[in-house]
Amino acid sequence: MTNVVVIGAQWGDEGKGKIVDWLSERADTVVRFQGGANAGHTLVIDGVTYKLSLLPSGIVRPGKMAVVGNGVVIDPWSLLAEIENISGQGVSVSRDNLRIAENATLILPLHRELDGIREAAAGKGKIGTTGRGIGPAYEDKVGRRAIRVYDLANPETLPVKIERLLAHHNALRKGLGVELVDGRALFGELMEIAPKILPFMDSAWALLDAQKRAGKRILFEGAQGTMLDIDHGTYPFVTSSNTIASQAATGSGVGPSTLEYVLGIAKAYTTRVGEGPFPTELFDEVGQRLGERGHEFGTVTGRARRCGWFDAVLVRQAIKTSGVDGIALTKLDVLDGFDELKVCVAYELDGERIERFPAGQGAQARVRPIYETIPGWKDNTYGARSWNDLPAQAVKYVRHIEELIECPVALLSTSPEREDTILMKDPFED
């Protein structure tokens, strides 16, 4: 048996929710290890659509343990709203199937406010944040002034921690001309929500260690995508956490040897939400067609996603930085009916051919894609569940992608339905 890490190999929105749900049937525990409520996962199960942000996808499967790790920043109000929402859809949520790391950082109302104020003031320099307070919360974590989950259980020491937090934030708010935060009011809000959050609190690392020793299968669920990683992504147009596979260890409290198989998720084309470079972005009717056929709107924000051809350079780079063992290629059906397809195989930068995505912001904005043109297919791949169901040219497209990204395709998804998945390699099997 193998423990599996699932990460996005592009800019997020690759279809991780469906793949994690598909894999969770084989897992005992599903763990979120980074990000926050800015990450949306959509699951379609028996015709019912579930939209999750903070909760691990395994929460909708009976008998699975869902764990929110210490690497996640948690908005307790958003979390409770999400629990209430899926409970209304018939999903039972209790301590029996949900645990939250006691040392996870909390997102507070002041973080959401600061996020919005900064983005509004940035003008052309805006990053495209979701405005959910993710970045400011991570800043406080690194600045050693954050309020964490276990602080809710210690009301006698919480006022001192709030005072330290506000020494920073109120000075900042004063400079921005924004009303200062009342520490007593914030304390009251936290004490009001504490009884609703604390029943889920646990030592996540100890729980996962026990699961590992008991021979349980653990699925680590990444959010967003590798090219949004704070170190390895298109900085500064990135998220505020590490999204690569190694973060699964740090963000959940397990050793790196626990991470035995890394599955990268990539669409058969490319999308991005928000600002930042996007070498293969299409501004014509082809890009519009990809967006319409792929229903490319953000789960959390509702924003239309930017669309473009498959970028093999980016995906290959993501595979290297995360040590990906296999790729789950999603939304192949969106490419049905195209006379020809294009794949980016390299870039042109200032007159030179390069085969990696540069780290510099200026260079990232200047790269131009070098395309290879591949014949398309007219037959339908939607709902295919075996290689024999696929047009020959679609099979050739997938095989060529494998060559370009230097990694095998382990799973192939042909619709939002979990059953419409072609399995070449089960990540949970050695």
Side-chain angles (χ1 to χ4, degrees), residues 162-319:
I162 291 176
E163 183 179 353
R164 174 176 168 76
L165 176 73
L166 295 186
H168 170 81
H169 276 274
N170 276 340
L172 189 59
R173 293 170 74 94
K174 184 176 181 180
L176 291 168
V178 180
E179 182 181 359
L180 304 187
V181 175
D182 185 326
R184 287 176 296 182
L186 178 57
F187 176 82
E189 289 180 82
L190 291 173
M191 286 298 94
E192 181 181 354
I193 204 164
K196 303 173 185 177
I197 296 295
L198 290 176
F200 301 107
M201 185 178 75
D202 203 350
S203 176
W205 70 266
L207 171 66
L208 294 174
D209 182 64
Q211 296 267 308
K212 179 182 175 183
R213 289 175 181 274
K216 302 292 187 181
R217 286 175 168 177
I218 305 173
L219 180 62
F220 297 89
E221 178 184 6
Q224 299 141 318
T226 297
M227 299 315 295
L228 291 174
D229 186 275
I230 188 70
D231 290 302
H232 301 283
T234 48
Y235 190 91
F237 303 101
V238 292
T239 193
S240 299
S241 63
N242 288 110
T243 59
I244 60 174
S246 55
Q247 176 63 20
T250 305
S252 59
V254 302
S257 63
T258 303
L259 316 179
E260 296 168 308
Y261 186 97
V262 180
L263 181 69
I265 317 295
K267 280 177 182 167
Y269 52 102
T270 311
T271 64
R272 176 167 198 170
V273 171
E275 308 298 321
F278 184 171
T280 65
E281 184 173 10
L282 297 171
F283 300 95
D284 56 11
E285 65 277 4
V286 174
Q288 183 177 352
R289 181 179 175 183
L290 289 172
E292 290 174 351
R293 294 198 62 183
H295 306 290
E296 297 297 352
F297 297 92
T299 301
V300 172
T301 63
R303 289 183 291 184
R305 297 176 185 136
R306 301 154 64 189
C307 298
W309 294 120
F310 187 86
D311 190 332
V313 182
L314 280 181
V315 175
R316 185 172 63 243
Q317 193 158 316
I319 286 167

Side-chain angles (χ1 to χ4, degrees), residues 49-73:
T49 299
Y50 302 92
K51 294 183 181 294
L52 306 177
S53 295
L54 270 169
L55 292 171
S57 296
I59 195 72
V60 301
R61 291 282 163 193
K64 311 298 180 183
M65 175 63 74
V67 178
V68 181
N70 57 275
V72 179
V73 285

Side-chain angles (χ1 to χ4, degrees), residues 85-153:
N85 185 54
I86 67 166
S87 295
Q89 293 182 280
V91 177
S92 176
V93 181
S94 70
R95 185 175 173 81
D96 292 336
N97 65 342
L98 176 64
R99 304 290 175 87
I100 300 171
E102 61 186 357
N103 52 338
T105 292
L106 294 179
I107 296 176
L108 307 175
L110 57 85
H111 294 129
R112 295 194 299 270
E113 292 169 9
L114 181 60
D115 211 353
I117 292 167
R118 282 176 171 171
E119 191 74 346
K124 292 183 179 180
K126 66 179 180 178
I127 294 171
T129 172
T130 60
R132 280 161 172 75
I134 310 294
Y138 275 119
E139 288 177 40
D140 284 342
K141 176 180 178 176
V142 176
R144 294 167 291 184
R145 55 179 173 264
I147 306 299
R148 305 210 282 185
V149 174
Y150 66 69
D151 291 321
L152 299 178

